[in-house]
Amino acid sequence: MKTYRIALVPGDGIGKEVVPAGVKVLEAAARASGANAGLKPGATGDAAGGGEAFQLSFQAFDWGCEYYLRTGRMMPEDGLEQLRPFDAIYLGAIGHPTVPDHISLRELLLKIRFGFDLYVNLRPVEILPGLESPLRGKSAAEINMLFVRENTEGEYCGLGGRFKRGTAEEVAIQQVIFTRRGTKRVMRYAFEQARRRPRRRLASATKSNAMQYTMVLWDEVLREVARDYPDVTVANYHVDALAARMITHPETLDVVVGSNLFADVLTDLGGALQGSLGLAASANINPTARLGPPMFEPVHGSAPDIEGRGVANPIAAIWAASLMMEHLGEPAAATRIMAALRAVTGEGRVRTPDLGGKNTTAEFTAAVIARLTA
Ligand code: NAD
Ligand code: IPM
Ligand code: MN
């Protein structure tokens, strides 16, 4: 039987609560794959269709802020080498008030994204059944976007320095790097995604009215790549106007491509449009080469304000688990997970507090598993 090796990095705060929830759902999906193997799509008892049986083997890594306080590192020196043989990484969230964020995030999360050249960060923004967007009068049919975030350069390249530190004359420089190759490959992927969706639209987030080097290159590459995709309708919006458009005309947005920082900001807004940050999922992938395993994670952080209470919404993590199964080549399992998730939100009986409910992470997860294995 096919076995996928998954590295678990729950990390900090609610990462340690939502990853175990996602793992339980994944285990149920693997069990269901055995029970349903061989069924034809649409056959009774298996809405998601057949698929071969598969197994998942998990290995957990206790890397994160507690590990840092013990060892002085966020992960071992050979951390990337330890992760490399896995088929995928399933990550919770990194960051705790005891460790400066620029250390904890750069030394673990960004190290994995950059180290394995996972240059696409895919972030779907959709409204699940039974949930309402905070946007008055906008239905699920009008909010359906797929963000393609550049994930390995741009504003996050990490080059810079501080001069005359601590003095009144202090200078801080944070460099931004946009390469033609890096811009082109992420845009090409975004166009491919747009081509596969019914509306075939691509919006780009720019700021070339103020940033005359990097963002003008971004716009030039957009025009160049667009020539290969005459079937895709392209719009290039300044990022400030695009943020407003997400609120005023979300129905005009389909696939959106943005730089590392721009799309980071826009996708928290996307999470808010979905109804909670606890709903937004992401996949870090390299669609053209394998330097290491892809990584799947919620968009949200470690939420120190609610950690330890058992009430974190596990939907983003479960959705990320579905993205993982899809990218591992198990679309039936991915669909099964999403179908169970949709059934539970649609029913509306079990909800975590961020969605106005009173249920715990464990109760919501149990409801999803009950659906999945029904
Ligand atoms: P956050 O996403 O952790 O929290 C923002 C708000 O959303 C909080 O009120 C939180 O309670 C709520 N929230 C987030 N996820 C939720 C969930 N699943 N269920 C219910 N409510 C949820 O952002 P922040 O407060 O800016 O950051 C906290 C820490 O996490 C910082 O150290 C930050 O750097 C880090 N962070 C890490 C990641 C990551 O590892 N991918 C992402 C974002 C932030
Ligand atoms: C995200 C997070 C990270 C990012 C931070 C924590 C470095 O906000 O995944 O969206 O900005 O990429
Ligand atoms: Mn973010």
Side-chain angles (χ1 to χ4, degrees):
M1 200 190 312
K2 209 165 193 179
T3 303
Y4 299 102
R5 293 188 63 201
I6 314 295
L8 303 176
V9 185
D12 302 305
I14 64 166
K16 290 188 205 163
E17 303 170 33
V18 297
V19 162
V23 167
K24 286 201 182 91
V25 172
L26 283 164
E27 281 169 340
R31 280 197 304 277
S33 80
N36 292 312
L39 283 183
K40 295 279 180 302
T44 320
D46 182 20
E52 295 292 316
F54 65 86
Q55 281 179 334
L56 298 171
S57 114
F58 297 101
Q59 186 177 329
F61 295 87
D62 64 346
W63 305 340
C65 290
E66 275 174 30
Y67 185 92
Y68 178 88
L69 294 174
R70 262 195 341 263
T71 66
R73 305 186 60 94
M74 287 299 292
M75 64 170 160
E77 212 163 346
D78 67 345
L80 292 185
E81 291 318 310
Q82 292 190 39
L83 292 174
R84 210 183 292 277
F86 286 86
D87 294 306
I89 303 165
Y90 187 46
L91 182 135
I94 310 301
H96 192 267
T98 50
V99 181
D101 273 357
H102 64 273
I103 296 177
S104 59
L105 274 309
R106 289 218 73 100
E107 294 300 317
L108 181 44
L109 181 76
L110 298 185
K111 213 163 216 170
I112 298 172
R113 289 182 185 164
F114 282 62
F116 292 152
D117 198 26
L118 304 173
Y119 67 86
V120 167
N121 191 323
L122 265 186
R123 300 186 158 191
V125 175
E126 293 169 36
I127 310 294
L128 292 174
L131 302 186
E132 269 183 22
S133 168
L135 288 187
R136 180 159 35 89
K138 294 290 178 190
S139 68
E142 292 164 297
I143 301 177
N144 191 330
M145 308 170 204
L146 178 66
F147 278 81
V148 177
R149 171 185 179 186
E150 201 296 314
N151 213 28
T152 47
E153 55 177 55
E155 306 88 344
Y156 280 41
C157 73
L159 293 182
R162 288 172 69 173
F163 179 56
K164 297 191 178 180
R165 197 184 275 253
T167 71
E169 289 76 40
E170 181 160 2
V171 177
I173 294 178
Q174 186 91 39
Q175 294 285 4
V176 168
I177 292 184
F178 283 75
T179 65
R180 182 175 286 279
R181 173 177 172 269
T183 308
K184 202 169 176 173
R185 65 182 184 174
V186 77
M187 283 187 180
R188 194 163 279 286
Y189 184 80
F191 273 102
E192 290 293 337
Q193 294 305 301
R195 180 173 264 182
R196 286 207 221 136
R197 292 162 64 98
R199 288 186 288 158
R200 295 192 187 169
R201 296 171 78 101
L202 178 73
S204 144
T206 187
K207 193 61 196 169
S208 49
N209 51 0
M211 302 179 76
Q212 73 272 47
Y213 306 117
T214 55
M215 282 296 135
V216 170
L217 172 66
W218 177 272
D219 293 357
E220 281 172 20
V221 173
L222 178 74
R223 282 195 296 274
E224 257 175 57
V225 178
R227 279 189 225 123
D228 293 339
Y229 298 87
D231 50 329
V232 175
T233 308
V234 187
N236 196 19
Y237 300 111
H238 292 300
V239 64
D240 43 358
L242 180 52
R245 176 172 286 270
M246 285 175 69
I247 307 288
T248 56
H249 300 88
E251 68 283 356
T252 64
L253 297 169
D254 184 11
V255 177
V256 182
V257 65
S259 68
N260 219 329
L261 179 62
F262 288 176
D264 172 49
V265 176
L266 294 176
T267 49
D268 260 34
L269 176 53
L273 289 183
Q274 285 175 279
S276 165
L277 257 182
L279 304 174
S282 78
N284 302 266
I285 59 173
N286 181 327
T288 44
R290 191 194 194 276
L291 271 74
M295 176 164 69
F296 302 85
E297 51 167 333
V299 167
H300 65 71
S302 54
D305 55 339
I306 58 163
E307 74 167 306
R309 290 173 27 206
V311 294
N313 192 337
I315 292 182
I318 294 171
W319 196 328
S322 166
L323 294 175
M324 180 164 84
M325 294 322 299
E326 194 181 319
H327 285 272
L328 284 173
E330 297 292 345
T335 307
R336 230 174 257 138
I337 293 172
M338 286 313 288
L341 207 49
R342 287 179 205 279
V344 176
T345 60
E347 212 176 56
R349 278 193 306 112
V350 190
R351 279 187 186 183
T352 47
D354 56 311
L355 295 175
K358 288 195 164 59
N359 295 103
T360 61
T361 311
E363 285 163 351
F364 184 86
T365 307
V368 174
I369 292 169
R371 276 289 182 164
L372 217 159
T373 49

